Amino acid sequence: MSTQAHDPRHQATAPAPIPAPTTDAGPGTDPAPDRYDTVIVGGGPAGLNAALYLGRSRRRVLLVDSGDARNMAAGVMHNVLTNDGAAITDFRARARAELASYDVSFRDDEVVSATGDEHGVTVSTKESGTFRARTLLYAAGVRSLLPPLPGLAELWGKSVFECPYCHAWEVRERTLAVYGGGEPSECLAATLTVWSEEITYLSDRRDLPTDEQDRLTAAGVPVRPDRVTRLAPDPEGLRVEFEDGSSTPYGALFLHLDMEPRVEPLRPWVDAPDLESLQSDDRGRTRVPRLYVAGDLGRNMHQAAMAAASGGLAAMAVNSDLIREDRPGSLPAPPPPTPAP
């Protein structure tokens, strides 16, 4: 293991340290005993791994999860060693069982508001009440915004996907479609040529810019310009119906999607459209004191393994900053903010 992951000598000066408390406290303690060290919002790989790191750091943790993560439609997860193809619900249940060894509590609930000041944070839930904590680690993820294409929502996660690294192996060497009628998806089509040589780009009557068409030509992906009217189940995977009355079966359809950050409960404490723009370093700190970010809301690829890694990094940042708060002068200040890429 690299010592840089936790060696304070590798940290520089910081812009906004957490204010020190009125009493000196050791790990896992707090002048207000009814407070948690951290409330984590979001029970996916990022939130669960953060809870593991913090629990093993003798921190008192509450994890609140609404249970409606966007990858639930797929049912399984991939590209996580020892969990490739594992059911998402099973993974989460096993993770919670492992966390039972530590001071980690759970609430299956929805966070409706969160706010903070120099003294701590307050998190209110829909059904479980209000909780106080020293820090908030926000890993609630993003929403996928599906285009208004009839039949797509019913097939989402079954034969319609976004991530080739998560789902293309299961449909390899089959005839695939890439929907480019909404978000430009020519790079997705080129990437999918690793898994299939039979790919059709459905432009849905959208006029393609020259650079988009050139990339498709270079990738050897033909374009079908006809208006798409509906997606329907098919023994092959799905059937795409067109305005002229024809239809074509495909093994799967891939597309790029717009994303919506799930940050509504942070208003008005956080006055920004997302948390990635507020993230100040690669360990999940933000420019808002006591607020940390992990998972798909932060600066990382939307992959389960990478989300879990970001949760671990954010947890280490939380733990280090709480040590700085409890024992002023014991650690160098964290590094200064780095701009978003």
Side-chain angles (χ1 to χ4, degrees):
M1 176 182 289
S2 169
T3 57
Q4 290 192 9
H6 57 270
D7 190 340
R9 293 174 298 176
H10 294 279
Q11 300 181 4
T13 58
I18 294 177
T22 56
T23 63
D24 188 50
T29 65
D30 184 62
D34 61 324
R35 286 203 300 179
Y36 291 91
D37 289 307
T38 304
V39 168
I40 299 172
V41 179
L48 289 167
N49 206 38
L52 179 61
Y53 271 74
L54 288 166
R56 290 181 56 82
S57 300
R58 301 180 64 197
R59 297 298 179 183
R60 185 173 182 235
V61 178
L62 173 65
L63 189 152
V64 184
D65 180 46
S66 61
D68 60 346
R70 70 182 179 118
N71 66 345
M72 284 296 191
V76 297
M77 61 193 300
H78 291 288
N79 300 316
V80 179
L81 282 172
T82 75
N83 285 285
D84 188 44
I88 295 171
T89 53
D90 179 62
F91 168 80
R92 290 185 172 214
R94 286 186 286 111
R96 288 194 179 198
E98 290 183 5
L99 289 168
S101 299
Y102 310 104
D103 194 2
V104 178
S105 303
F106 296 91
R107 294 290 188 279
D108 294 320
D109 204 346
E110 178 183 351
V111 171
V112 294
S113 69
T115 188
D117 56 28
E118 67 272 20
H119 303 295
V121 299
T122 301
V123 178
S124 297
T125 63
K126 191 173 183 178
E127 298 179 353
S128 304
T130 298
F131 303 93
R132 297 192 303 149
R134 302 170 72 183
T135 57
L136 175 63
L137 199 162
Y138 207 78
V142 300
R143 296 185 187 91
S144 296
L145 301 179
L146 301 181
L149 188 60
L152 190 151
E154 291 78 10
L155 297 174
W156 177 242
K158 301 178 180 66
S159 55
V160 177
F161 309 105
E162 182 178 26
C163 174
Y165 295 99
C166 302
H167 303 291
W169 171 261
E170 283 68 32
V171 293
R172 64 194 181 280
E173 299 180 355
R174 298 170 69 179
T175 301
L176 304 179
V178 175
Y179 182 72
E183 289 292 305
S185 301
E186 75 278 14
C187 293
L188 175 58
T191 300
L192 281 164
T193 59
V194 173
W195 289 275
S196 173
E197 295 183 357
E198 296 183 67
I199 300 171
T200 301
Y201 194 75
L202 309 178
S203 65
D204 199 9
R205 301 290 297 277
R206 182 171 66 86
D207 292 331
L208 303 185
T210 301
D211 58 346
E212 185 176 349
Q213 179 64 69
D214 287 348
R215 291 190 186 97
L216 291 166
T217 301
V221 176
V223 176
R224 182 165 182 174
D226 303 317
R227 173 76 68 189
V228 176
T229 58
R230 185 172 177 265
L231 305 183
D234 187 89
E236 177 73 15
L238 79 158
R239 185 176 69 258
V240 179
E241 300 177 359
F242 297 94
E243 189 176 46
D244 62 5
S246 65
S247 66
T248 303
Y250 296 98
L253 181 143
F254 288 79
L255 75 167
H256 273 318
L257 296 173
D258 274 337
M259 301 295 172
E260 181 180 60
R262 302 177 63 173
V263 295
E264 297 90 343
L266 298 176
R267 313 288 187 215
W269 183 31
V270 173
D271 185 17
D274 55 54
L275 294 187
E276 184 176 355
S277 62
L278 292 178
Q279 187 172 343
S280 59
D281 67 13
D282 290 334
R283 297 196 181 188
R285 293 183 178 91
T286 73
R287 290 175 174 80
V288 179
R290 300 188 181 274
L291 175 64
Y292 301 76
V293 60
D296 291 351
L297 282 169
R299 297 178 188 172
N300 55 276
M301 296 289 289
H302 292 186
Q303 299 281 316
M306 298 176 193
S310 73
L313 288 170
M316 287 191 288
V318 169
N319 187 57
S320 297
D321 290 348
L322 291 179
I323 292 172
R324 293 183 178 96
E325 179 177 332
D326 293 337
R327 302 184 183 278
S330 63
L331 291 177
T338 56

